[in-house]
Amino acid sequence: YSLGDIKYLDKILEKQLGILNTYNGLHPQIDLNNILNIDTIVGLENRVIPALVEAELTGIDIDWTAYYALKDEFVPLYLELLNKIKEVVINCDKLRPALMTATLFGLDYKVDSKGKLFNWASPLQKLKALQILFPEIESCDTHVLQSLQGSHPIIELLIEFSVMFKLKTSFIDVLPGYVNSVTGRIHSNINQLVSTGRMSMDNPNLQQIPRKGNFGKLLRALFTQQ
């Protein structure tokens, strides 16, 4: 695990030093051969590596009793939201013919050529459905949905669905799968050098747990420092 994280660092260092050495004549006071020189980007980045390594290896613990209680609370509300969206579709003269079909058990979402029901989690399917109501839109991104608030009952529900679906698929459903069998903790990858210019995390990306919203706050409260 640790070797996989560091096997490319020396190659990255060589390339960075090669680039920086082209400026050595302009800044002779900087010792570019010292990989811990605080006056260089390389030096600063290398000096923080021990702290990041310790953070990854230490990992983070979760209050699992609170986690399962949260999941038990979340799942029924998620299913209830899906039912609310379905009811809006059934009662909408424009959406119902396009998305619903009669079955032995009443109205239900149409099945595609592969035998799968219409899925609001699919951006493409969601966009096609919303274009029935709003032909002018070209995406179903959050900012587009927010601009349409108040224009149809389904918009507010889909905004809420986007948040809950993200929480469900990125955290609530998958967190137990990230637990290390030896330490019993979650060890996210910390990516030090990325194109955005700031650190990121993955497997899982704990930085994406929202600060706002009831479930976001409850998710953040699960993590302990013990």
Side-chain angles (χ1 to χ4, degrees), residues 159-217:
I159 292 174
E160 184 180 357
F161 172 75
S162 295
V163 174
M164 295 191 74
F165 181 77
K166 178 67 175 179
L167 290 175
K168 181 178 185 295
T169 57
S170 296
F171 303 107
I172 292 178
D173 284 354
V174 300
L175 281 178
Y178 287 110
V179 176
N180 184 282
S181 59
V182 176
T183 66
R185 301 167 74 88
I186 291 176
H187 301 267
S188 289
N189 297 323
I190 301 177
N191 307 306
Q192 183 178 0
L193 298 171
V194 294
S195 59
T196 59
R198 58 184 180 180
M199 296 181 196
S200 67
M201 298 179 74
D202 59 66
N203 295 321
N205 186 354
L206 299 180
Q207 289 179 316
Q208 285 194 339
I209 298 178
R211 293 182 296 107
K212 299 179 180 180
N214 183 46
F215 282 107
K217 293 177 181 178

Short mmCIF file of all heavy atoms in Angstrom, two decimals, residues 159-217:
data_model
loop_
_atom_site.label_atom_id
_atom_site.label_comp_id
_atom_site.label_asym_id
_atom_site.label_seq_id
_atom_site.Cartn_x
_atom_site.Cartn_y
_atom_site.Cartn_z
N ILE A 159 -33.78 18.23 -7.18
CA ILE A 159 -32.64 18.85 -6.50
C ILE A 159 -32.34 18.10 -5.20
O ILE A 159 -31.18 17.78 -4.90
CB ILE A 159 -32.92 20.34 -6.20
CG1 ILE A 159 -32.97 21.15 -7.51
CG2 ILE A 159 -31.86 20.91 -5.26
CD1 ILE A 159 -33.38 22.59 -7.33
N GLU A 160 -33.39 17.78 -4.46
CA GLU A 160 -33.22 17.00 -3.22
C GLU A 160 -32.72 15.59 -3.53
O GLU A 160 -31.87 15.05 -2.83
CB GLU A 160 -34.55 16.93 -2.47
CG GLU A 160 -34.45 16.23 -1.12
CD GLU A 160 -35.78 16.18 -0.38
OE1 GLU A 160 -36.78 16.73 -0.88
OE2 GLU A 160 -35.83 15.54 0.70
N PHE A 161 -33.23 15.01 -4.62
CA PHE A 161 -32.80 13.66 -5.01
C PHE A 161 -31.31 13.63 -5.35
O PHE A 161 -30.60 12.68 -4.98
CB PHE A 161 -33.61 13.19 -6.22
CG PHE A 161 -33.11 11.90 -6.81
CD1 PHE A 161 -33.35 10.68 -6.18
CD2 PHE A 161 -32.37 11.90 -7.98
CE1 PHE A 161 -32.87 9.49 -6.72
CE2 PHE A 161 -31.89 10.72 -8.52
CZ PHE A 161 -32.14 9.51 -7.90
N SER A 162 -30.82 14.65 -6.03
CA SER A 162 -29.40 14.70 -6.40
C SER A 162 -28.52 14.65 -5.15
O SER A 162 -27.51 13.95 -5.12
CB SER A 162 -29.10 15.96 -7.21
OG SER A 162 -29.77 15.94 -8.44
N VAL A 163 -28.91 15.39 -4.13
CA VAL A 163 -28.14 15.42 -2.89
C VAL A 163 -28.19 14.07 -2.19
O VAL A 163 -27.16 13.52 -1.78
CB VAL A 163 -28.68 16.53 -1.95
CG1 VAL A 163 -27.97 16.46 -0.60
CG2 VAL A 163 -28.49 17.89 -2.58
N MET A 164 -29.38 13.51 -2.07
CA MET A 164 -29.54 12.24 -1.35
C MET A 164 -28.89 11.08 -2.11
O MET A 164 -28.32 10.17 -1.51
CB MET A 164 -31.02 11.97 -1.08
CG MET A 164 -31.65 12.96 -0.14
SD MET A 164 -33.30 12.47 0.46
CE MET A 164 -32.89 11.16 1.62
N PHE A 165 -28.98 11.10 -3.45
CA PHE A 165 -28.36 10.04 -4.24
C PHE A 165 -26.84 10.06 -4.07
O PHE A 165 -26.20 9.01 -3.97
CB PHE A 165 -28.73 10.20 -5.71
CG PHE A 165 -28.16 9.12 -6.59
CD1 PHE A 165 -28.72 7.85 -6.62
CD2 PHE A 165 -27.05 9.37 -7.39
CE1 PHE A 165 -28.18 6.85 -7.42
CE2 PHE A 165 -26.51 8.38 -8.19
CZ PHE A 165 -27.07 7.12 -8.22
N LYS A 166 -26.26 11.26 -4.04
CA LYS A 166 -24.82 11.40 -3.84
C LYS A 166 -24.42 10.85 -2.46
O LYS A 166 -23.42 10.11 -2.34
CB LYS A 166 -24.41 12.86 -3.96
CG LYS A 166 -22.93 13.14 -3.73
CD LYS A 166 -22.08 12.54 -4.81
CE LYS A 166 -20.63 12.92 -4.65
NZ LYS A 166 -19.75 12.32 -5.69
N LEU A 167 -25.16 11.20 -1.45
CA LEU A 167 -24.87 10.70 -0.10
C LEU A 167 -25.00 9.18 -0.05
O LEU A 167 -24.17 8.50 0.56
CB LEU A 167 -25.82 11.34 0.92
CG LEU A 167 -25.64 12.82 1.21
CD1 LEU A 167 -26.74 13.32 2.14
CD2 LEU A 167 -24.27 13.09 1.82
N LYS A 168 -26.02 8.66 -0.71
CA LYS A 168 -26.29 7.22 -0.67
C LYS A 168 -25.19 6.43 -1.36
O LYS A 168 -24.64 5.47 -0.81
CB LYS A 168 -27.64 6.92 -1.33
CG LYS A 168 -28.04 5.45 -1.34
CD LYS A 168 -29.41 5.28 -1.96
CE LYS A 168 -29.89 3.83 -1.88
NZ LYS A 168 -29.05 2.91 -2.67
N THR A 169 -24.86 6.82 -2.60
CA THR A 169 -23.93 6.02 -3.41
C THR A 169 -22.46 6.26 -3.06
O THR A 169 -21.63 5.37 -3.25
CB THR A 169 -24.15 6.30 -4.90
OG1 THR A 169 -24.00 7.71 -5.16
CG2 THR A 169 -25.54 5.86 -5.32
N SER A 170 -22.14 7.46 -2.57
CA SER A 170 -20.73 7.77 -2.28
C SER A 170 -20.33 7.46 -0.84
O SER A 170 -19.15 7.27 -0.56
CB SER A 170 -20.45 9.26 -2.56
OG SER A 170 -20.63 9.55 -3.93
N PHE A 171 -21.32 7.40 0.07
CA PHE A 171 -20.97 7.22 1.47
C PHE A 171 -21.83 6.17 2.19
O PHE A 171 -21.31 5.17 2.67
CB PHE A 171 -21.06 8.57 2.21
CG PHE A 171 -20.19 9.63 1.59
CD1 PHE A 171 -20.74 10.66 0.87
CD2 PHE A 171 -18.81 9.58 1.71
CE1 PHE A 171 -19.94 11.62 0.28
CE2 PHE A 171 -18.00 10.53 1.13
CZ PHE A 171 -18.57 11.56 0.40
N ILE A 172 -23.11 6.39 2.27
CA ILE A 172 -23.95 5.53 3.11
C ILE A 172 -23.90 4.08 2.66
O ILE A 172 -23.82 3.16 3.48
CB ILE A 172 -25.40 6.07 3.14
CG1 ILE A 172 -25.42 7.40 3.90
CG2 ILE A 172 -26.33 5.06 3.79
CD1 ILE A 172 -26.77 8.06 3.97
N ASP A 173 -23.94 3.83 1.35
CA ASP A 173 -23.93 2.46 0.86
C ASP A 173 -22.55 1.80 0.89
O ASP A 173 -22.46 0.58 0.95
CB ASP A 173 -24.46 2.40 -0.59
CG ASP A 173 -25.97 2.54 -0.66
OD1 ASP A 173 -26.60 2.56 0.41
OD2 ASP A 173 -26.50 2.64 -1.78
N VAL A 174 -21.50 2.61 0.84
CA VAL A 174 -20.18 2.03 0.55
C VAL A 174 -19.14 2.15 1.66
O VAL A 174 -18.09 1.50 1.60
CB VAL A 174 -19.59 2.67 -0.74
CG1 VAL A 174 -20.51 2.42 -1.92
CG2 VAL A 174 -19.37 4.17 -0.56
N LEU A 175 -19.38 2.96 2.67
CA LEU A 175 -18.36 3.17 3.70
C LEU A 175 -17.85 1.87 4.33
O LEU A 175 -16.64 1.72 4.52
CB LEU A 175 -18.88 4.11 4.79
CG LEU A 175 -18.85 5.61 4.45
CD1 LEU A 175 -19.44 6.42 5.60
CD2 LEU A 175 -17.43 6.07 4.14
N PRO A 176 -18.70 0.90 4.66
CA PRO A 176 -18.17 -0.33 5.26
C PRO A 176 -17.18 -1.06 4.36
O PRO A 176 -16.25 -1.72 4.85
CB PRO A 176 -19.44 -1.18 5.48
CG PRO A 176 -20.54 -0.19 5.61
CD PRO A 176 -20.19 0.91 4.66
N GLY A 177 -17.31 -0.92 3.05
CA GLY A 177 -16.41 -1.59 2.12
C GLY A 177 -15.01 -1.00 2.10
O GLY A 177 -14.08 -1.62 1.58
N TYR A 178 -14.84 0.19 2.66
CA TYR A 178 -13.52 0.83 2.69
C TYR A 178 -12.75 0.53 3.98
O TYR A 178 -11.61 0.96 4.13
CB TYR A 178 -13.66 2.34 2.55
CG TYR A 178 -14.03 2.80 1.16
CD1 TYR A 178 -15.29 3.33 0.90
CD2 TYR A 178 -13.14 2.69 0.11
CE1 TYR A 178 -15.65 3.74 -0.38
CE2 TYR A 178 -13.48 3.11 -1.17
CZ TYR A 178 -14.73 3.64 -1.40
OH TYR A 178 -15.07 4.04 -2.68
N VAL A 179 -13.34 -0.20 4.89
CA VAL A 179 -12.69 -0.48 6.17
C VAL A 179 -11.55 -1.49 5.96
O VAL A 179 -11.74 -2.55 5.38
CB VAL A 179 -13.69 -1.02 7.20
CG1 VAL A 179 -12.98 -1.41 8.49
CG2 VAL A 179 -14.77 0.02 7.47
N ASN A 180 -10.37 -1.13 6.44
CA ASN A 180 -9.22 -2.02 6.34
C ASN A 180 -9.39 -3.18 7.31
O ASN A 180 -9.68 -2.98 8.49
CB ASN A 180 -7.93 -1.24 6.65
CG ASN A 180 -6.68 -2.07 6.47
OD1 ASN A 180 -6.35 -2.89 7.32
ND2 ASN A 180 -5.99 -1.87 5.36
N SER A 181 -9.19 -4.41 6.84
CA SER A 181 -9.43 -5.59 7.66
C SER A 181 -8.44 -5.71 8.81
O SER A 181 -8.72 -6.38 9.81
CB SER A 181 -9.37 -6.85 6.80
OG SER A 181 -8.09 -6.97 6.17
N VAL A 182 -7.28 -5.07 8.67
CA VAL A 182 -6.26 -5.16 9.72
C VAL A 182 -6.45 -4.08 10.77
O VAL A 182 -6.46 -4.35 11.97
CB VAL A 182 -4.84 -5.06 9.11
CG1 VAL A 182 -3.79 -5.05 10.21
CG2 VAL A 182 -4.59 -6.21 8.15
N THR A 183 -6.63 -2.83 10.32
CA THR A 183 -6.72 -1.72 11.27
C THR A 183 -8.14 -1.44 11.73
O THR A 183 -8.34 -0.81 12.77
CB THR A 183 -6.15 -0.44 10.64
OG1 THR A 183 -6.99 -0.05 9.54
CG2 THR A 183 -4.74 -0.67 10.13
N GLY A 184 -9.13 -1.87 10.95
CA GLY A 184 -10.51 -1.55 11.29
C GLY A 184 -10.86 -0.10 11.05
O GLY A 184 -11.87 0.39 11.53
N ARG A 185 -10.02 0.60 10.27
CA ARG A 185 -10.22 2.02 10.01
C ARG A 185 -10.28 2.26 8.50
O ARG A 185 -9.94 1.39 7.70
CB ARG A 185 -9.08 2.85 10.63
CG ARG A 185 -8.96 2.66 12.14
CD ARG A 185 -7.65 3.21 12.67
NE ARG A 185 -7.64 4.66 12.70
CZ ARG A 185 -8.08 5.39 13.72
NH1 ARG A 185 -8.57 4.79 14.81
NH2 ARG A 185 -8.03 6.70 13.69
N ILE A 186 -10.70 3.45 8.12
CA ILE A 186 -10.74 3.84 6.72
C ILE A 186 -9.49 4.65 6.40
O ILE A 186 -9.15 5.60 7.11
CB ILE A 186 -12.00 4.67 6.42
CG1 ILE A 186 -13.24 3.78 6.52
CG2 ILE A 186 -11.93 5.30 5.02
CD1 ILE A 186 -14.55 4.52 6.33
N HIS A 187 -8.79 4.25 5.34
CA HIS A 187 -7.54 4.91 4.95
C HIS A 187 -7.72 5.52 3.55
O HIS A 187 -7.37 4.90 2.54
CB HIS A 187 -6.38 3.92 4.95
CG HIS A 187 -6.14 3.28 6.29
ND1 HIS A 187 -5.25 3.79 7.21
CD2 HIS A 187 -6.70 2.19 6.87
CE1 HIS A 187 -5.25 3.03 8.29
NE2 HIS A 187 -6.13 2.05 8.11
N SER A 188 -8.26 6.72 3.47
CA SER A 188 -8.43 7.39 2.18
C SER A 188 -7.08 7.73 1.57
O SER A 188 -6.10 7.98 2.29
CB SER A 188 -9.24 8.68 2.35
OG SER A 188 -10.58 8.40 2.64
N ASN A 189 -7.02 7.74 0.25
CA ASN A 189 -5.82 8.22 -0.44
C ASN A 189 -5.83 9.74 -0.43
O ASN A 189 -6.84 10.37 -0.74
CB ASN A 189 -5.80 7.74 -1.90
CG ASN A 189 -5.72 6.23 -2.00
OD1 ASN A 189 -5.05 5.58 -1.21
ND2 ASN A 189 -6.41 5.67 -2.98
N ILE A 190 -4.69 10.34 -0.08
CA ILE A 190 -4.54 11.79 -0.12
C ILE A 190 -3.66 12.12 -1.32
O ILE A 190 -2.50 11.71 -1.37
CB ILE A 190 -3.92 12.34 1.17
CG1 ILE A 190 -4.79 11.96 2.37
CG2 ILE A 190 -3.76 13.85 1.08
CD1 ILE A 190 -4.21 12.39 3.71
N ASN A 191 -4.23 12.83 -2.29
CA ASN A 191 -3.49 13.18 -3.50
C ASN A 191 -2.90 14.57 -3.33
O ASN A 191 -3.62 15.56 -3.25
CB ASN A 191 -4.42 13.14 -4.71
CG ASN A 191 -5.15 11.80 -4.79
OD1 ASN A 191 -4.54 10.75 -4.79
ND2 ASN A 191 -6.48 11.85 -4.83
N GLN A 192 -1.58 14.63 -3.27
CA GLN A 192 -0.91 15.87 -2.92
C GLN A 192 -0.82 16.86 -4.08
O GLN A 192 -1.06 18.05 -3.92
CB GLN A 192 0.50 15.57 -2.40
CG GLN A 192 1.27 16.81 -1.93
CD GLN A 192 2.63 16.44 -1.37
OE1 GLN A 192 3.00 15.27 -1.35
NE2 GLN A 192 3.38 17.42 -0.94
N LEU A 193 -0.47 16.39 -5.25
CA LEU A 193 -0.26 17.27 -6.40
C LEU A 193 -1.29 16.96 -7.48
O LEU A 193 -1.19 15.94 -8.16
CB LEU A 193 1.16 17.09 -6.97
CG LEU A 193 2.30 17.46 -6.01
CD1 LEU A 193 3.63 17.04 -6.59
CD2 LEU A 193 2.29 18.95 -5.72
N VAL A 194 -2.28 17.81 -7.61
CA VAL A 194 -3.32 17.61 -8.63
C VAL A 194 -3.50 18.91 -9.41
O VAL A 194 -3.00 19.96 -9.03
CB VAL A 194 -4.66 17.19 -7.99
CG1 VAL A 194 -4.53 15.81 -7.35
CG2 VAL A 194 -5.11 18.21 -6.95
N SER A 195 -4.22 18.82 -10.52
CA SER A 195 -4.33 19.95 -11.44
C SER A 195 -5.03 21.16 -10.83
O SER A 195 -4.83 22.29 -11.27
CB SER A 195 -5.09 19.51 -12.71
OG SER A 195 -6.38 19.04 -12.38
N THR A 196 -5.86 20.94 -9.80
CA THR A 196 -6.58 22.05 -9.19
C THR A 196 -5.67 22.92 -8.31
O THR A 196 -6.06 24.01 -7.92
CB THR A 196 -7.73 21.53 -8.33
OG1 THR A 196 -7.22 20.67 -7.31
CG2 THR A 196 -8.73 20.77 -9.18
N GLY A 197 -4.48 22.40 -7.98
CA GLY A 197 -3.58 23.16 -7.13
C GLY A 197 -3.82 22.94 -5.65
O GLY A 197 -3.20 23.59 -4.80
N ARG A 198 -4.71 22.04 -5.31
CA ARG A 198 -4.96 21.75 -3.90
C ARG A 198 -5.08 20.24 -3.73
O ARG A 198 -5.25 19.51 -4.69
CB ARG A 198 -6.23 22.43 -3.41
CG ARG A 198 -7.48 22.06 -4.19
CD ARG A 198 -8.68 22.85 -3.71
NE ARG A 198 -9.89 22.51 -4.45
CZ ARG A 198 -11.07 23.06 -4.23
NH1 ARG A 198 -11.19 23.98 -3.28
NH2 ARG A 198 -12.13 22.71 -4.93
N MET A 199 -4.97 19.78 -2.52
CA MET A 199 -5.03 18.34 -2.26
C MET A 199 -6.44 17.81 -2.50
O MET A 199 -7.43 18.52 -2.39
CB MET A 199 -4.62 18.04 -0.81
CG MET A 199 -3.20 18.40 -0.49
SD MET A 199 -2.81 17.98 1.22
CE MET A 199 -1.31 18.93 1.45
N SER A 200 -6.49 16.51 -2.81
CA SER A 200 -7.78 15.85 -2.97
C SER A 200 -7.72 14.50 -2.28
O SER A 200 -6.65 14.07 -1.84
CB SER A 200 -8.13 15.68 -4.45
OG SER A 200 -7.25 14.77 -5.07
N MET A 201 -8.85 13.83 -2.18
CA MET A 201 -8.92 12.51 -1.56
C MET A 201 -9.74 11.58 -2.43
O MET A 201 -10.59 12.02 -3.20
CB MET A 201 -9.56 12.60 -0.16
CG MET A 201 -8.81 13.46 0.83
SD MET A 201 -9.65 13.52 2.44
CE MET A 201 -9.31 11.90 3.09
N ASP A 202 -9.47 10.30 -2.33
CA ASP A 202 -10.31 9.32 -3.01
C ASP A 202 -10.28 8.00 -2.23
O ASP A 202 -9.43 7.78 -1.38
CB ASP A 202 -9.88 9.10 -4.47
CG ASP A 202 -8.45 8.63 -4.60
OD1 ASP A 202 -8.14 7.50 -4.16
OD2 ASP A 202 -7.62 9.37 -5.18
N ASN A 203 -11.22 7.15 -2.56
CA ASN A 203 -11.35 5.82 -1.95
C ASN A 203 -11.40 5.81 -0.42
O ASN A 203 -10.59 5.15 0.21
CB ASN A 203 -10.21 4.91 -2.43
CG ASN A 203 -10.28 4.64 -3.91
OD1 ASN A 203 -11.36 4.47 -4.47
ND2 ASN A 203 -9.14 4.62 -4.57
N PRO A 204 -12.37 6.47 0.19
CA PRO A 204 -13.39 7.34 -0.36
C PRO A 204 -12.97 8.80 -0.31
O PRO A 204 -12.02 9.16 0.40
CB PRO A 204 -14.58 7.10 0.57
CG PRO A 204 -13.94 6.88 1.90
CD PRO A 204 -12.65 6.13 1.60
N ASN A 205 -13.71 9.65 -1.03
CA ASN A 205 -13.42 11.08 -1.02
C ASN A 205 -14.19 11.74 0.13
O ASN A 205 -15.31 12.22 -0.05
CB ASN A 205 -13.81 11.72 -2.35
CG ASN A 205 -13.39 13.17 -2.43
OD1 ASN A 205 -12.90 13.75 -1.46
ND2 ASN A 205 -13.59 13.77 -3.58
N LEU A 206 -13.58 11.73 1.29
CA LEU A 206 -14.25 12.26 2.48
C LEU A 206 -14.40 13.78 2.42
O LEU A 206 -15.20 14.35 3.16
CB LEU A 206 -13.47 11.87 3.73
CG LEU A 206 -13.34 10.36 3.98
CD1 LEU A 206 -12.54 10.09 5.25
CD2 LEU A 206 -14.71 9.70 4.06
N GLN A 207 -13.65 14.43 1.53
CA GLN A 207 -13.78 15.88 1.39
C GLN A 207 -15.14 16.27 0.78
O GLN A 207 -15.55 17.42 0.90
CB GLN A 207 -12.67 16.44 0.50
CG GLN A 207 -11.29 16.42 1.16
CD GLN A 207 -10.23 16.96 0.23
OE1 GLN A 207 -10.17 16.63 -0.95
NE2 GLN A 207 -9.35 17.80 0.76
N GLN A 208 -15.80 15.33 0.14
CA GLN A 208 -17.06 15.64 -0.53
C GLN A 208 -18.29 15.47 0.36
O GLN A 208 -19.40 15.68 -0.11
CB GLN A 208 -17.22 14.77 -1.79
CG GLN A 208 -16.35 15.23 -2.94
CD GLN A 208 -16.76 14.58 -4.25
OE1 GLN A 208 -17.41 13.54 -4.27
NE2 GLN A 208 -16.36 15.18 -5.36
N ILE A 209 -18.09 15.09 1.60
CA ILE A 209 -19.24 15.03 2.50
C ILE A 209 -19.72 16.46 2.73
O ILE A 209 -18.96 17.32 3.16
CB ILE A 209 -18.88 14.39 3.85
CG1 ILE A 209 -18.42 12.94 3.64
CG2 ILE A 209 -20.07 14.43 4.80
CD1 ILE A 209 -17.99 12.25 4.90
N PRO A 210 -20.97 16.77 2.38
CA PRO A 210 -21.44 18.17 2.47
C PRO A 210 -21.45 18.68 3.90
O PRO A 210 -21.69 17.94 4.85
CB PRO A 210 -22.85 18.09 1.88
CG PRO A 210 -23.27 16.67 2.05
CD PRO A 210 -22.02 15.85 1.90
N ARG A 211 -21.18 19.97 4.02
CA ARG A 211 -21.24 20.63 5.33
C ARG A 211 -22.67 20.98 5.70
O ARG A 211 -23.02 21.04 6.88
CB ARG A 211 -20.38 21.89 5.32
CG ARG A 211 -18.90 21.64 5.18
CD ARG A 211 -18.10 22.93 5.22
NE ARG A 211 -18.41 23.81 4.09
CZ ARG A 211 -19.12 24.90 4.18
NH1 ARG A 211 -19.62 25.28 5.33
NH2 ARG A 211 -19.35 25.65 3.11
N LYS A 212 -23.47 21.26 4.67
CA LYS A 212 -24.85 21.69 4.91
C LYS A 212 -25.80 20.51 4.81
O LYS A 212 -25.48 19.48 4.23
CB LYS A 212 -25.23 22.77 3.90
CG LYS A 212 -24.36 24.02 3.98
CD LYS A 212 -24.78 25.03 2.93
CE LYS A 212 -23.92 26.27 3.00
NZ LYS A 212 -24.30 27.28 1.97
N GLY A 213 -26.98 20.69 5.35
CA GLY A 213 -27.99 19.64 5.30
C GLY A 213 -27.88 18.71 6.49
O GLY A 213 -26.79 18.44 7.01
N ASN A 214 -29.01 18.20 6.92
CA ASN A 214 -29.06 17.37 8.12
C ASN A 214 -28.21 16.12 7.99
O ASN A 214 -27.40 15.80 8.87
CB ASN A 214 -30.52 16.98 8.41
CG ASN A 214 -30.65 16.18 9.69
OD1 ASN A 214 -30.08 16.54 10.72
ND2 ASN A 214 -31.38 15.08 9.63
N PHE A 215 -28.34 15.40 6.86
CA PHE A 215 -27.61 14.15 6.73
C PHE A 215 -26.12 14.38 6.50
O PHE A 215 -25.30 13.56 6.91
CB PHE A 215 -28.20 13.31 5.59
CG PHE A 215 -29.46 12.61 5.97
CD1 PHE A 215 -30.69 13.04 5.49
CD2 PHE A 215 -29.44 11.53 6.85
CE1 PHE A 215 -31.86 12.40 5.85
CE2 PHE A 215 -30.61 10.89 7.23
CZ PHE A 215 -31.82 11.33 6.73
N GLY A 216 -25.76 15.48 5.86
CA GLY A 216 -24.35 15.80 5.71
C GLY A 216 -23.69 16.02 7.06
O GLY A 216 -22.59 15.51 7.32
N LYS A 217 -24.36 16.75 7.92
CA LYS A 217 -23.82 17.00 9.26
C LYS A 217 -23.74 15.71 10.07
O LYS A 217 -22.77 15.49 10.81
CB LYS A 217 -24.69 18.03 9.98
CG LYS A 217 -24.64 19.42 9.35
CD LYS A 217 -25.57 20.39 10.05
CE LYS A 217 -25.52 21.76 9.40
NZ LYS A 217 -26.47 22.72 10.05
#
